[in-house]
Amino acid sequence: METASTDAGSAAVPQNGQQEDKTGFKLKFCTVCASNQNRSMEGHLRLAQANYPVISFGTGSLVRLPGPTITQPNVYKFNETSYDSIYRELEAKDPRLYRANGLLNMLGRNRIIKWGPERWQDWQVGMPRVKHEKDQGSAGMEAGVPDIVITCEERCWDAVVDDLLNRGSPLNRPVHVINIDIKDNHQDASIGGGAIVDLADSLNKVALEEREKVGAAAFDSGAAGSRASFDERVPEVLGEWQERWPGLPSTWTLSWF
């Protein structure tokens, strides 16, 4: 993860306002980066603030954060280490360094969103998230099955797609996996968070339209047949979003849980 701020290029101000939804329906999202610390957590927070059900994960083997030198990262285990404990450890080690590079600010944000970093490959899709009711964005995600997975780096997208293939689609449920290339620093993560919400709003608008056509019960079941018309419109929505955010290259595929 870079700690220096850089320009994210020609990212545009989002033009697609959030659709007013009289039904209360919201697509369910999952954000993913390498360590479930910076980009995925910024996306998690912004989606939760926009009232979308959301969960988040990392795809790395371990959680890695910058240390005093490039060869001395701070390394932690997924699923076993809380954001609060990482915060307190780094604050005790070198508060000046970790405030200056933004890690303490990031961890302070993370620990009010959820307990700790989770690893994608260890996640049991469809397992009720009964221990996550205090997580921001948990309302609506109790069943643990998102409609859209948004990764923040191509290698994370590869890891998610490969893992889903290896799982063998036990739920036989479609899921859109979209990558948005976001540089791993705090400024670009913030810009990327806004872009993620803009995409979520666009997708949710189309989902509402198709849900009205096929019926709420059928659409909400998540079955492939009832969502085919929505699935077909996702590439078009993504193309329009890409025109608004040319500095954030995207990739898409339809996969299966």
Side-chain angles (χ1 to χ4, degrees):
M1 176 189 142
E2 301 171 23
T3 54
S5 295
T6 61
D7 185 1
S10 52
V13 175
Q15 299 175 1
N16 182 58
Q18 187 169 330
Q19 169 97 340
E20 181 180 356
D21 175 19
K22 297 179 181 178
T23 71
F25 172 81
K26 292 283 190 177
L27 288 171
K28 301 173 179 64
F29 288 87
C30 173
T31 58
V32 182
C33 66
S35 289
N36 199 197
Q37 291 283 351
N38 184 32
R39 297 162 293 178
S40 64
M41 289 299 284
E42 180 68 24
H44 185 142
L45 176 62
R46 300 286 281 275
L47 286 167
Q49 289 174 335
N51 298 317
Y52 286 104
V54 58
I55 53 178
S56 60
F57 298 95
T59 58
S61 57
L62 293 165
V63 175
R64 290 178 171 84
L65 294 174
T69 70
I70 195 170
T71 59
Q72 296 175 290
N74 293 286
V75 180
Y76 306 93
K77 291 183 179 180
F78 281 103
N79 310 318
E80 298 180 18
T81 314
S82 70
Y83 292 119
D84 185 63
S85 66
I86 299 173
Y87 181 100
R88 288 186 283 105
E89 178 181 309
L90 297 186
E91 186 179 40
K93 280 183 176 180
D94 193 334
R96 183 176 179 181
L97 169 63
Y98 295 119
R99 284 197 181 96
N101 67 13
L103 285 187
L104 290 181
N105 182 65
M106 179 189 74
L107 289 162
R109 173 203 65 192
N110 291 353
R111 64 183 179 176
I112 66 172
I113 299 173
K114 65 177 190 175
W115 183 82
E118 300 173 77
R119 187 168 183 260
W120 168 277
Q121 293 89 338
D122 299 331
W123 170 46
Q124 293 180 278
V125 179
M127 179 68 69
R129 293 175 62 82
V130 294
K131 296 182 179 180
H132 295 268
E133 66 277 358
K134 294 182 179 180
D135 293 359
Q136 292 196 35
S138 62
M141 277 302 306
E142 294 86 354
V145 183
D147 303 300
I148 311 289
V149 175
I150 298 177
T151 63
C152 302
E153 186 177 344
E154 187 174 356
R155 63 173 175 159
C156 299
W157 185 82
D158 289 339
V160 167
V161 172
D162 288 346
D163 180 69
L164 289 174
L165 286 172
N166 291 334
R167 292 184 187 224
S169 310
L171 302 183
N172 195 32
R173 177 171 175 143
V175 57
H176 294 271
V177 186
I178 299 170
N179 183 65
I180 300 174
D181 269 333
I182 302 171
K183 294 178 182 178
D184 194 8
N185 62 66
H186 303 304
Q187 177 177 321
D188 286 328
S190 179
I191 293 170
I196 287 172
V197 173
D198 182 39
L199 178 58
D201 290 342
S202 299
L203 291 168
N204 203 67
K205 178 178 180 293
V206 169
L208 283 166
E209 294 170 357
E210 298 306 321
R211 184 175 183 260
E212 184 175 352
K213 294 176 184 177
V214 303
F219 192 91
D220 295 353
S221 72
S226 61
R227 295 228 174 164
S229 59
F230 169 70
D231 295 342
E232 291 170 359
R233 294 183 65 183
V234 169
E236 179 184 352
V237 172
L238 186 59
E240 292 172 353
W241 173 90
Q242 188 70 84
E243 292 179 0
R244 298 194 297 274
W245 298 89
L248 297 172
S250 61
T251 309
W252 162 87
T253 191
L254 181 64
S255 192
W256 299 83
F257 281 135

